[in-house]
Amino acid sequence: AIDFETFGLEGLGNQEVFAGGWGIDNKIKLYYIKPYEKPEDVVRNTIESIFENKELDGYVFYAHNLGRFDSLFIIKSSVNMKDYVIEPIFKDNKIIFMKIKNINTNMSIKIMDSLNLIDSKLEYILKDFGCYINKGIFPYLFVNENRLFYKGKKPDIKYYGNINIKDYNLIPGDDWDIQNECLNYLEKDIRGLLEWLKIYSKHIFENNSINITSYKTLPSLSLAIFMSGFYNSNSNSIKMIKGNVEKDIRNSYFGGNVDVFINEIYNGFYYDMNSQYPRAMLEDMPVGNPIFTTETDLFKIFGFVYGEITAPMESELRVPIIQYRDEDGNVTCPRGKFKRLIFSEEIKDAIKNYGYSMKVEYGYQFERGK
């Protein structure tokens, strides 16, 4: 586990690191900023101390909220880490994985985001998993660049966030040292994260023979569990389509479609439609190997077809339903003629019930299956 503690400049906004640390089963290393150091020095010292231990080569470290927090400080500090190469992997505008390598020794570590395994606050996770270690108490709102070395009476309760008066009264009132309190708090976070990860990884391995460090997110871990323990490739083979055929077929996928014509109503009903995907999956699905076809008779094809679609006039259909994506990526439901690839059963329904027509140019023929 690895973690950094920060404070907001002027109480909010940009964050600066003032403490950091990492831990394995039998070792915890903690660092607190010194009067002559910059925040980047704390990050560099924390990372470099890992690489002083050759036995940690190849280790996977977890940071809780790496993607939108800890990774930012590591990358910012990398400017001063000349002997290291940092390779971040992004998904949905956040970092889900980092590899750090020492170019002199070739030793490397990986840092992953435990928030991608369970999306919750560490405090709640520790309680839910019955961990012995609970998250500590620290007055984050009290910390600023002028109080990094404060010693004296404990801060007012208002600096502790949502702490209750009972817990606040248990904190010693005199000889309060911000450095000691911060490092104690940081150590509990690291030990707590380690305890939870050990419980979680042991459960996954014992039940599924899978190492969680091989998967960066919960969806990928869930898929691995399904494929290894519940999927029978002999009785239910899922065809994995790749290459240009996959790229072409993906062009037929648009997602949901919403049109708003009246922005406000004064008397109406609200309907929440559930389980539409499971319901649709009870219908025939395209399965097996796709076969390219120049068949132009739409009703002889089950799969995906490309051609010119003609939408009905407004007098026939007030709200058009077939989507189209232009060269700029904009999605509309146009009138008139347009070309696209579409699932055969979708356009057949549009022809039968909504007045559309289509001239097919080519298609991908599939078998029907459940």
Side-chain angles (χ1 to χ4, degrees), residues 134-358:
N134 294 318
K135 193 169 176 66
I137 298 172
F138 186 73
Y140 269 107
L141 300 176
F142 182 75
V143 186
N144 61 42
E145 55 190 331
N146 299 315
R147 293 172 174 164
L148 293 176
F149 308 101
Y150 172 86
K151 294 182 180 180
K153 292 188 175 183
K154 67 179 178 183
D156 190 272
I157 190 172
K158 67 181 181 182
Y159 294 111
Y160 282 86
N162 295 324
I163 188 175
N164 60 58
I165 189 66
K166 180 180 178 181
D167 290 335
Y168 177 75
N169 290 335
L170 294 175
I171 302 171
D174 297 322
D175 299 323
W176 194 89
D177 185 322
I178 192 171
Q179 178 173 335
N180 291 338
E181 294 295 324
C182 174
L183 293 180
N184 289 334
Y185 176 83
L186 176 60
E187 182 174 354
K188 290 192 73 173
D189 270 5
I190 293 172
R191 291 191 183 278
L193 182 56
L194 274 174
E195 183 184 2
W196 162 59
L197 285 167
K198 287 175 64 179
I199 295 172
Y200 187 66
S201 61
K202 181 180 180 182
H203 172 79
I204 297 297
F205 186 80
E206 289 182 346
N207 286 276
N208 306 285
S209 300
I210 286 176
N211 187 337
I212 65 169
T213 62
S214 298
Y215 304 93
K216 301 176 181 65
T217 64
L218 183 59
S220 63
L221 177 61
S222 299
L223 180 60
I225 292 172
F226 170 73
M227 296 297 288
S228 66
F230 302 93
Y231 172 63
N232 188 322
S233 60
N234 294 322
S235 60
N236 292 291
S237 178
I238 297 177
K239 174 67 178 179
M240 302 301 290
I241 302 172
K242 297 295 181 183
N244 291 330
V245 176
E246 180 201 20
K247 292 180 181 178
D248 204 9
I249 290 177
R250 282 191 181 275
N251 289 327
S252 68
Y253 285 78
F254 283 77
N257 180 43
V258 176
D259 286 309
V260 179
F261 296 92
I262 301 174
N263 294 320
E264 185 175 4
I265 62 172
Y266 298 97
N267 185 20
F269 296 93
Y270 173 83
Y271 297 95
D272 185 8
M273 298 180 68
N274 295 312
S275 303
Q276 295 303 293
Y277 281 111
R279 173 62 184 86
M281 290 174 68
L282 294 176
E283 303 296 335
D284 286 346
M285 288 287 167
V287 300
N289 295 309
I291 299 174
F292 181 83
T293 178
T294 56
E295 174 64 63
T296 58
D297 186 344
L298 171 64
F299 292 90
K300 291 182 179 180
I301 302 175
F302 181 84
F304 298 87
V305 291
Y306 179 86
E308 183 181 79
I309 297 173
T310 302
M313 295 183 295
E314 187 173 359
S315 58
E316 300 176 63
L317 182 68
R318 188 174 69 89
V319 181
I321 61 171
I322 300 298
Q323 295 161 294
Y324 171 73
R325 183 182 291 108
D326 64 22
E327 294 179 354
D328 297 324
N330 300 312
V331 176
T332 58
C333 293
R335 301 283 181 188
K337 301 179 185 295
F338 56 94
K339 289 187 176 183
R340 59 159 286 192
L341 191 77
I342 190 169
F343 180 43
S344 59
E345 306 314 287
E346 181 180 358
I347 188 62
K348 288 175 186 176
D349 180 68
I351 291 172
K352 179 181 179 181
N353 298 308
Y354 298 99
Y356 279 83
S357 64
M358 182 177 189

Side-chain angles (χ1 to χ4, degrees), residues 30-234:
L30 305 174
Y31 291 88
Y32 194 87
I33 195 167
K34 295 180 173 59
Y36 55 84
E37 287 184 330
K38 298 178 180 179
E40 291 80 5
D41 296 326
V42 177
V43 179
R44 188 189 69 249
N45 290 337
T46 303
I47 299 296
E48 288 184 343
S49 68
I50 296 175
F51 284 83
E52 293 172 359
N53 300 267
K54 294 181 180 180
E55 69 274 15
L56 299 183
D57 186 20
Y59 261 56
V60 175
F61 286 79
Y62 283 90
H64 205 60
N65 199 10
L66 170 76
R68 298 195 183 278
F69 198 74
D70 298 81
S71 63
L72 306 179
F73 307 114
I74 295 174
I75 291 176
K76 183 179 178 181
S77 301
S78 66
V79 177
N80 301 318
M81 298 168 62
K82 304 298 183 183
D83 296 330
Y84 296 86
V85 175
I86 298 178
E87 301 176 4
I89 302 299
F90 289 83
K91 184 179 182 182
D92 299 330
N93 296 320
K94 69 176 181 178
I95 295 174
I96 62 170
F97 167 80
M98 297 181 76
K99 182 178 180 180
I100 303 178
K101 181 179 180 179
N102 186 306
I103 59 178
N104 297 321
T105 65
N106 283 328
M107 177 180 170
S108 66
I109 63 169
K110 297 176 182 177
I111 305 180
M112 293 167 62
D113 194 342
S114 52
L115 197 65
N116 287 331
L117 296 177
I118 294 187
D119 188 0
S120 183
K121 292 183 178 180
L122 182 59
E123 174 187 0
Y124 302 152
I125 293 175
L126 297 181
K127 291 179 180 178
D128 290 344
F129 276 77
C131 295
Y132 289 106
I133 299 173
N134 294 318
K135 193 169 176 66
I137 298 172
F138 186 73
Y140 269 107
L141 300 176
F142 182 75
V143 186
N144 61 42
E145 55 190 331
N146 299 315
R147 293 172 174 164
L148 293 176
F149 308 101
Y150 172 86
K151 294 182 180 180
K153 292 188 175 183
K154 67 179 178 183
D156 190 272
I157 190 172
K158 67 181 181 182
Y159 294 111
Y160 282 86
N162 295 324
I163 188 175
N164 60 58
I165 189 66
K166 180 180 178 181
D167 290 335
Y168 177 75
N169 290 335
L170 294 175
I171 302 171
D174 297 322
D175 299 323
W176 194 89
D177 185 322
I178 192 171
Q179 178 173 335
N180 291 338
E181 294 295 324
C182 174
L183 293 180
N184 289 334
Y185 176 83
L186 176 60
E187 182 174 354
K188 290 192 73 173
D189 270 5
I190 293 172
R191 291 191 183 278
L193 182 56
L194 274 174
E195 183 184 2
W196 162 59
L197 285 167
K198 287 175 64 179
I199 295 172
Y200 187 66
S201 61
K202 181 180 180 182
H203 172 79
I204 297 297
F205 186 80
E206 289 182 346
N207 286 276
N208 306 285
S209 300
I210 286 176
N211 187 337
I212 65 169
T213 62
S214 298
Y215 304 93
K216 301 176 181 65
T217 64
L218 183 59
S220 63
L221 177 61
S222 299
L223 180 60
I225 292 172
F226 170 73
M227 296 297 288
S228 66
F230 302 93
Y231 172 63
N232 188 322
S233 60
N234 294 322

